[in-house]
Structure formats: structure tokens, C-alpha cells
Amino acid sequence: MLISFVSFGKEEVKEKGNSKEEIRKEIKEYIGHHLQDSHDFSIGSYTTDTGEHKYIGFPLPVILWDNGLKVFSSSKFHHGETVANIDGNYYKLYHSKIYKTDAEGTIHYDEAHHATNVKPLDLSITKSVFMIIITGILMFFLFRGLARSYGKNNGIAKGAGRFFEPIVLYIRDDIAISNIGEKHYKKYMPYLLTIFFFIWFLNIFGLTPLGVNVTGNIAVTLALAILTFLITNFSGKKDYWLHLFDPLGSSMPWYAKIPLYIILVPIELLGLIIKPFSLLIRLYANMQAGHIVLMSLIGLIFIFKNWLGGGLSFFLAFAISLIEVLVALLQAYIFTMLSALYFGFASEEHDHEHEHEIAH
């Protein structure tokens, strides 16, 4: 029976070679569409018996600045199939971007086939922004309840707080205090707790059927990395800046340090950029790759069209999903750990009197 099913699958592929290529193309386009942000919250879609394409989801508000504020529902685009007429101005949704166009929805291109239409300033609440707001609200009520339970039960967490309390204590004891020190860790705790649970919750939402890929958006990871960069540098102590511009300290006379500083100081300053860059790329690349691999494995089910290949693809996709649950937590931990490490460098203080005695 196994051989007959495999043979049947091979014959079906041979007979429908063109459809197989079309399926591959459709899967590739669907993965690309999934990884992009969108102006509506679409969970899924299906085609009716009459050939009509139906979407499951709801529209989101579109906010544009084009010689004034333009606010309307994304349903006017009908998932990019129609042109929105707003106060006599025509807008078209093309490759997840909004362009100003005419009544026919004409898009003009340059030699590299890039759209040259005017793009109004887009301040819309997209799917990623919507999930960021939902995550923020969830975290607010969750940890507000945890704080209240401490006050009502003499410092003992109740309800869902019992699950999150050990994580909070772990971030405090093993991440913040270990890397920053007991003297300065408290002022960084709100940010470290927020960034950990924010990334973790968004990563988990990305594994649900909602199809949200917020942390796989490089603009989001860039914003998070910039926050860490700003906090690190604005809270940096005198020793932090001395290490950047005077890494050799008083161990050598100034005339002997000049040739070395021509090399060392640019490297130290370059490190200011490399640190946040590594944060944003690590989070973005891992979450983006996870979504691509998972959806590619699911797509193989529709390519093989037999129980052996489809079943194998399903179990591989299930295994990758379990790994992605771990990766979702791991990436939140790594981002928080590295942020705490950078904060520790910035807030570190040295005993200069002791160093001066050693130098003499």
C-alpha cells in the first residue's frame, strides 16, 4: 500500500507538472505576504464555489497625511483589489504600501520596476501596531493584577501572578543584579522586565493562527535596539565614557598613547553602533527564519499531495513549532541579558584612587 501511494503521488505530479509550479509560486507569495505587515487583520482566506475569494478578519484604521489628515477604514482597499476615493483623492494599496494614484489605480514604474507614485505619510494602525497595542494592554492588566495581589496578600502572589513571579525574580537576581550590580540594578529593572515580557508575548503571538510576525519586522527590532542604545549611553557613568575615549587610562604617558588611540578610539566608538545592531539583527533574523521554515514545511504538504510526504511535512512542522516555542523564550532572554550587560558596562564605577596608587 505504501508503494502504491508513493507511485500515485509521483504520477499525479507528472500529470500536473504545471499546477505544481503554480502551487510553489503561490506558496512563496503567501509566505512573503505573511511576513509583511498589513493594513487589515486577516487571519485566513478561502475561495467559495463561485470562485469568490473570502477573507477572515477585520479592517484597521488607515491614517494618512496628504495635505491634511485622511482617516478611513482599510476595507475601502478590499485587500488591494480596489482604489479608495477619499475627498477626491485616490489611494491604492500596492505591496503593503499606500500610493496616491488616479481613479483607475495606475501605478507608474522606473527602470528597476519600482513604483514612482507619490506616497503620503502613512501613520496607519497596521496589524503589527495593533498587536503591539494588544500586548501592551495585556501586560498592563497582568502585572497590575500581580502588583495588587502583593499588596492584598502581604507580598504573596495570587492567580496568574504565581506563574510570572519566578520569572520576575529570575530577571532580577540572575540578569539584572548579576550583570549590573546591586547598587544600580533597580533603575533598570522596569525596562528589563518590560522588554523581556514584551518580546516573549509578541513571539508567542507569532506562533498562533493569528499570523502575526511583529518581532520579524526589522523596524520593530530596530526600535527596541535604539531604546537599549539610548538608555545605555544616557545613563553611562564617567568611567564608561573614559573607557571609550581613554581606554588605556593612566598606564602610559600621553605621547605614547596617541598612535594607539588612532586605532583604539574609532574601534570603541564603532562598538557603540555594533552592539545595538547585533541586538536588532539577532532577534529579527531568528524570528523571521523561524516563520519561513515553518510555513515552507507546511507548504510541502500541498506540493507532495500524498500521505507520506504530507505526513512527514506535518510532523516536521509540528517539531519546528515546538522548537519555536523555546526560541520565542530564548530570544526574549538573550535580548534582555545583553541589554543588562550593556547597562552594566555603562554604570560600572572604578576605584581611581586605588589605580593611581598602583600606577605610582
Side-chain angles (χ1 to χ4, degrees):
M1 182 179 292
L2 176 62
I3 296 176
S4 63
F5 268 109
V6 174
S7 300
F8 175 77
K10 290 181 178 179
E11 291 298 324
E12 187 179 15
V13 170
K14 289 180 181 178
E15 293 175 4
K16 299 182 179 181
N18 294 332
S19 62
K20 183 179 178 181
E21 293 299 324
E22 292 174 359
I23 291 174
R24 286 178 176 174
K25 183 180 179 181
E26 185 177 352
I27 291 172
K28 184 177 179 181
E29 291 176 351
Y30 186 82
I31 293 175
H33 176 74
H34 168 79
L35 296 176
Q36 291 179 346
D37 200 1
S38 62
H39 287 77
D40 53 32
F41 204 102
S42 181
I43 301 174
S45 62
Y46 64 95
T47 304
T48 63
D49 295 335
T50 58
E52 184 180 1
H53 208 55
K54 294 284 188 179
Y55 293 90
I56 304 172
F58 53 88
L60 294 171
V62 177
I63 306 171
L64 302 178
W65 182 265
D66 182 27
N67 295 324
L69 194 63
K70 313 289 183 184
V71 182
F72 57 96
S73 172
S74 63
S75 60
K76 290 185 176 293
F77 291 124
H78 196 65
H79 306 280
E81 298 174 4
T82 58
V83 177
N85 183 359
I86 308 299
D87 300 330
N89 296 309
Y90 297 95
Y91 303 100
K92 182 176 178 63
L93 185 63
Y94 182 71
H95 291 312
S96 299
K97 296 180 181 179
I98 297 176
Y99 295 91
K100 199 169 183 179
T101 182
D102 52 25
E104 287 74 30
T106 306
I107 299 293
H108 302 282
Y109 303 94
D110 58 14
E111 295 79 6
H113 200 70
H114 296 148
T116 58
N117 293 53
V118 175
K119 285 195 299 183
L121 180 61
D122 192 353
L123 304 172
S124 305
I125 298 178
T126 61
K127 183 168 66 173
S128 294
V129 175
F130 177 79
M131 287 310 303
I132 288 173
I133 294 172
I134 292 297
T135 303
I137 294 173
L138 174 64
M139 290 175 59
F140 173 78
F141 284 105
L142 181 66
F143 293 104
R144 181 169 173 263
L146 176 59
R148 283 188 170 184
S149 68
Y150 278 133
K152 292 180 179 179
N153 301 289
N154 297 321
I156 300 174
K158 294 290 184 180
R162 290 183 174 180
F163 174 77
F164 292 104
E165 184 186 34
I167 302 175
V168 173
L169 295 177
Y170 178 82
I171 294 173
R172 184 194 69 182
D173 298 336
D174 294 308
I175 295 180
I177 295 178
S178 298
N179 293 284
I180 303 172
E182 293 189 6
K183 185 178 180 180
H184 301 291
Y185 83 93
K186 288 185 179 180
K187 67 179 179 181
Y188 297 106
M189 276 298 293
Y191 176 76
L192 294 176
L193 288 173
T194 301
I195 206 70
F196 176 84
F197 287 103
F198 181 76
I199 294 174
W200 185 27
F201 288 175
L202 284 177
N203 289 348
I204 293 298
F205 276 130
L207 299 176
T208 63
L210 297 175
V212 183
N213 185 36
V214 179
T215 49
N217 187 329
I218 197 167
V220 175
T221 60
L222 174 62
L224 297 178
I226 288 175
L227 286 176
T228 297
F229 173 79
L230 292 176
I231 294 173
T232 300
N233 290 284
F234 278 105
S235 65
K237 302 290 184 180
K238 180 179 68 173
D239 292 310
Y240 171 72
W241 293 106
L242 283 175
H243 176 74
L244 289 176
F245 294 101
D246 189 16
L248 296 178
S250 58
S251 59
M252 297 175 61
W254 65 270
Y255 54 83
K257 293 189 293 184
I258 292 178
L260 294 175
Y261 278 8
I262 295 175
I263 301 174
L264 290 178
V265 172
I267 291 175
E268 292 290 342
L269 294 177
L270 185 61
L272 291 178
I273 308 299
I274 294 175
K275 288 176 182 177
F277 181 76
S278 66
L279 280 178
L280 77 92
I281 289 297
R282 181 182 289 105
L283 179 59
Y284 163 74
N286 279 280
M287 301 314 300
Q288 185 88 320
H291 281 264
I292 293 174
V293 171
L294 185 58
M295 297 194 70
S296 297
L297 289 172
I298 295 174
L300 290 176
I301 298 173
F302 301 95
I303 293 177
F304 285 123
K305 292 184 178 179
N306 61 65
W307 70 272
L308 179 61
L312 181 61
S313 300
F314 173 79
F315 284 113
L316 285 174
F318 179 73
I320 293 296
S321 297
L322 296 179
I323 295 174
E324 281 296 299
V325 173
L326 176 61
V327 171
L329 177 61
L330 184 62
Q331 290 304 313
Y333 167 78
I334 291 174
F335 197 101
T336 308
M337 172 65 79
L338 291 177
S339 295
L341 191 64
Y342 300 154
F343 297 158
F345 292 151
S347 60
E348 188 177 8
E349 295 177 346
H350 299 285
D351 187 356
H352 293 286
E353 293 183 3
H354 180 67
E355 292 179 357
H356 181 74
E357 291 175 1
I358 294 176
H360 286 277

Short mmCIF file of all heavy atoms in Angstrom, two decimals, residues 1-28:
data_model
loop_
_atom_site.label_atom_id
_atom_site.label_comp_id
_atom_site.label_asym_id
_atom_site.label_seq_id
_atom_site.Cartn_x
_atom_site.Cartn_y
_atom_site.Cartn_z
N MET A 1 0.83 -1.20 0.00
CA MET A 1 0.00 0.00 0.00
C MET A 1 0.87 1.26 0.00
O MET A 1 0.56 2.26 -0.65
CB MET A 1 -0.93 -0.01 1.21
CG MET A 1 -1.87 1.19 1.28
SD MET A 1 -2.97 1.14 2.70
CE MET A 1 -3.99 -0.27 2.27
N LEU A 2 1.98 1.19 0.75
CA LEU A 2 2.90 2.34 0.80
C LEU A 2 3.45 2.66 -0.57
O LEU A 2 3.45 3.81 -1.00
CB LEU A 2 4.04 2.02 1.77
CG LEU A 2 5.15 3.08 1.88
CD1 LEU A 2 4.57 4.38 2.38
CD2 LEU A 2 6.25 2.58 2.79
N ILE A 3 3.91 1.60 -1.30
CA ILE A 3 4.48 1.81 -2.63
C ILE A 3 3.44 2.36 -3.59
O ILE A 3 3.71 3.25 -4.40
CB ILE A 3 5.07 0.49 -3.18
CG1 ILE A 3 6.22 0.05 -2.28
CG2 ILE A 3 5.54 0.65 -4.61
CD1 ILE A 3 6.81 -1.29 -2.67
N SER A 4 2.22 1.83 -3.50
CA SER A 4 1.17 2.29 -4.42
C SER A 4 0.82 3.75 -4.17
O SER A 4 0.59 4.52 -5.11
CB SER A 4 -0.09 1.42 -4.26
OG SER A 4 -0.63 1.57 -2.94
N PHE A 5 0.80 4.19 -2.90
CA PHE A 5 0.51 5.59 -2.60
C PHE A 5 1.61 6.50 -3.11
O PHE A 5 1.35 7.56 -3.66
CB PHE A 5 0.33 5.78 -1.08
CG PHE A 5 -1.09 5.64 -0.63
CD1 PHE A 5 -1.49 4.54 0.10
CD2 PHE A 5 -2.03 6.60 -0.95
CE1 PHE A 5 -2.80 4.40 0.51
CE2 PHE A 5 -3.34 6.48 -0.54
CZ PHE A 5 -3.73 5.36 0.20
N VAL A 6 2.89 6.09 -2.94
CA VAL A 6 4.00 6.89 -3.42
C VAL A 6 3.98 6.98 -4.93
O VAL A 6 4.19 8.03 -5.52
CB VAL A 6 5.34 6.30 -2.93
CG1 VAL A 6 6.51 7.04 -3.57
CG2 VAL A 6 5.44 6.38 -1.41
N SER A 7 3.71 5.85 -5.59
CA SER A 7 3.64 5.84 -7.06
C SER A 7 2.52 6.73 -7.56
O SER A 7 2.67 7.46 -8.54
CB SER A 7 3.43 4.40 -7.56
OG SER A 7 4.50 3.58 -7.14
N PHE A 8 1.38 6.68 -6.85
CA PHE A 8 0.26 7.52 -7.25
C PHE A 8 0.62 8.99 -7.12
O PHE A 8 0.28 9.82 -7.99
CB PHE A 8 -0.95 7.20 -6.36
CG PHE A 8 -2.12 8.10 -6.61
CD1 PHE A 8 -2.93 7.95 -7.71
CD2 PHE A 8 -2.40 9.16 -5.71
CE1 PHE A 8 -3.99 8.80 -7.94
CE2 PHE A 8 -3.46 9.99 -5.94
CZ PHE A 8 -4.26 9.81 -7.05
N GLY A 9 1.35 9.34 -6.04
CA GLY A 9 1.76 10.74 -5.85
C GLY A 9 2.68 11.19 -6.95
O GLY A 9 2.58 12.29 -7.47
N LYS A 10 3.65 10.31 -7.37
CA LYS A 10 4.58 10.67 -8.44
C LYS A 10 3.86 10.86 -9.76
O LYS A 10 4.15 11.78 -10.52
CB LYS A 10 5.66 9.59 -8.57
CG LYS A 10 6.62 9.55 -7.38
CD LYS A 10 7.67 8.48 -7.60
CE LYS A 10 8.66 8.47 -6.44
NZ LYS A 10 9.68 7.41 -6.62
N GLU A 11 2.91 9.96 -10.07
CA GLU A 11 2.19 10.08 -11.33
C GLU A 11 1.37 11.36 -11.35
O GLU A 11 1.25 12.02 -12.37
CB GLU A 11 1.27 8.84 -11.52
CG GLU A 11 2.04 7.56 -11.78
CD GLU A 11 2.86 7.63 -13.05
OE1 GLU A 11 2.40 8.25 -14.03
OE2 GLU A 11 3.98 7.08 -13.06
N GLU A 12 0.79 11.70 -10.18
CA GLU A 12 -0.03 12.90 -10.12
C GLU A 12 0.82 14.14 -10.39
O GLU A 12 0.40 15.06 -11.07
CB GLU A 12 -0.69 13.00 -8.75
CG GLU A 12 -1.71 14.14 -8.67
CD GLU A 12 -2.36 14.19 -7.32
OE1 GLU A 12 -1.86 13.56 -6.38
OE2 GLU A 12 -3.38 14.88 -7.21
N VAL A 13 2.06 14.14 -9.87
CA VAL A 13 2.96 15.27 -10.10
C VAL A 13 3.32 15.36 -11.56
O VAL A 13 3.40 16.44 -12.14
CB VAL A 13 4.22 15.12 -9.21
CG1 VAL A 13 5.26 16.13 -9.63
CG2 VAL A 13 3.86 15.32 -7.75
N LYS A 14 3.59 14.20 -12.20
CA LYS A 14 3.94 14.21 -13.62
C LYS A 14 2.80 14.75 -14.46
O LYS A 14 3.00 15.49 -15.41
CB LYS A 14 4.30 12.80 -14.07
CG LYS A 14 5.62 12.30 -13.50
CD LYS A 14 5.91 10.89 -13.99
CE LYS A 14 7.23 10.36 -13.42
NZ LYS A 14 7.49 8.97 -13.86
N GLU A 15 1.56 14.31 -14.12
CA GLU A 15 0.42 14.72 -14.91
C GLU A 15 0.07 16.20 -14.69
O GLU A 15 -0.47 16.85 -15.58
CB GLU A 15 -0.81 13.87 -14.55
CG GLU A 15 -0.64 12.41 -14.95
CD GLU A 15 -1.79 11.55 -14.48
OE1 GLU A 15 -2.74 12.12 -13.90
OE2 GLU A 15 -1.76 10.34 -14.71
N LYS A 16 0.43 16.70 -13.51
CA LYS A 16 0.07 18.08 -13.19
C LYS A 16 1.33 18.88 -12.88
O LYS A 16 1.43 19.54 -11.86
CB LYS A 16 -0.88 18.11 -12.00
CG LYS A 16 -2.19 17.38 -12.25
CD LYS A 16 -3.12 17.48 -11.06
CE LYS A 16 -4.44 16.77 -11.32
NZ LYS A 16 -5.35 16.87 -10.17
N GLY A 17 2.32 18.78 -13.76
CA GLY A 17 3.58 19.47 -13.52
C GLY A 17 3.40 20.97 -13.45
O GLY A 17 3.98 21.65 -12.62
N ASN A 18 2.55 21.52 -14.34
CA ASN A 18 2.33 22.96 -14.36
C ASN A 18 1.67 23.43 -13.07
O ASN A 18 2.02 24.45 -12.52
CB ASN A 18 1.48 23.35 -15.57
CG ASN A 18 2.23 23.11 -16.88
OD1 ASN A 18 3.44 23.15 -16.91
ND2 ASN A 18 1.48 22.84 -17.94
N SER A 19 0.68 22.66 -12.59
CA SER A 19 -0.01 23.06 -11.37
C SER A 19 0.94 23.01 -10.19
O SER A 19 0.80 23.78 -9.25
CB SER A 19 -1.21 22.14 -11.12
OG SER A 19 -0.78 20.80 -10.93
N LYS A 20 1.92 22.08 -10.21
CA LYS A 20 2.88 22.00 -9.12
C LYS A 20 3.72 23.27 -9.07
O LYS A 20 3.99 23.81 -7.99
CB LYS A 20 3.78 20.78 -9.31
CG LYS A 20 4.78 20.57 -8.18
CD LYS A 20 5.61 19.33 -8.42
CE LYS A 20 6.65 19.16 -7.32
NZ LYS A 20 7.50 17.97 -7.54
N GLU A 21 4.15 23.77 -10.22
CA GLU A 21 4.92 25.00 -10.26
C GLU A 21 4.08 26.18 -9.79
O GLU A 21 4.56 27.08 -9.10
CB GLU A 21 5.44 25.25 -11.68
CG GLU A 21 6.48 24.25 -12.15
CD GLU A 21 7.71 24.27 -11.27
OE1 GLU A 21 8.09 25.37 -10.81
OE2 GLU A 21 8.28 23.20 -11.03
N GLU A 22 2.80 26.16 -10.17
CA GLU A 22 1.91 27.23 -9.73
C GLU A 22 1.72 27.19 -8.22
O GLU A 22 1.65 28.24 -7.57
CB GLU A 22 0.55 27.09 -10.44
CG GLU A 22 0.62 27.38 -11.93
CD GLU A 22 -0.69 27.12 -12.63
OE1 GLU A 22 -1.64 26.67 -11.92
OE2 GLU A 22 -0.79 27.33 -13.85
N ILE A 23 1.63 25.98 -7.65
CA ILE A 23 1.49 25.84 -6.20
C ILE A 23 2.72 26.37 -5.50
O ILE A 23 2.64 27.06 -4.49
CB ILE A 23 1.23 24.36 -5.83
CG1 ILE A 23 -0.16 23.94 -6.31
CG2 ILE A 23 1.35 24.15 -4.32
CD1 ILE A 23 -0.44 22.47 -6.13
N ARG A 24 3.91 26.04 -6.03
CA ARG A 24 5.16 26.55 -5.44
C ARG A 24 5.17 28.07 -5.45
O ARG A 24 5.56 28.71 -4.46
CB ARG A 24 6.36 26.01 -6.21
CG ARG A 24 6.66 24.54 -5.94
CD ARG A 24 7.84 24.11 -6.79
NE ARG A 24 8.22 22.73 -6.50
CZ ARG A 24 9.14 22.06 -7.17
NH1 ARG A 24 9.77 22.65 -8.18
NH2 ARG A 24 9.44 20.82 -6.83
N LYS A 25 4.78 28.65 -6.56
CA LYS A 25 4.75 30.10 -6.68
C LYS A 25 3.75 30.71 -5.70
O LYS A 25 4.03 31.73 -5.05
CB LYS A 25 4.41 30.50 -8.11
CG LYS A 25 4.42 32.00 -8.35
CD LYS A 25 4.09 32.33 -9.79
CE LYS A 25 4.08 33.84 -10.02
NZ LYS A 25 3.72 34.17 -11.42
N GLU A 26 2.59 30.05 -5.58
CA GLU A 26 1.56 30.55 -4.68
C GLU A 26 2.02 30.47 -3.22
O GLU A 26 1.78 31.38 -2.43
CB GLU A 26 0.27 29.75 -4.87
CG GLU A 26 -0.90 30.28 -4.05
CD GLU A 26 -2.18 29.52 -4.33
OE1 GLU A 26 -2.18 28.68 -5.26
OE2 GLU A 26 -3.16 29.75 -3.61
N ILE A 27 2.71 29.37 -2.87
CA ILE A 27 3.22 29.21 -1.50
C ILE A 27 4.26 30.27 -1.20
O ILE A 27 4.26 30.88 -0.12
CB ILE A 27 3.81 27.79 -1.32
CG1 ILE A 27 2.69 26.75 -1.34
CG2 ILE A 27 4.59 27.70 0.00
CD1 ILE A 27 3.19 25.33 -1.36
N LYS A 28 5.15 30.53 -2.17
CA LYS A 28 6.19 31.55 -1.99
C LYS A 28 5.56 32.92 -1.79
O LYS A 28 6.00 33.69 -0.92
CB LYS A 28 7.12 31.56 -3.21
CG LYS A 28 8.29 32.51 -3.07
CD LYS A 28 9.21 32.42 -4.28
CE LYS A 28 10.38 33.40 -4.15
NZ LYS A 28 11.27 33.32 -5.35
#
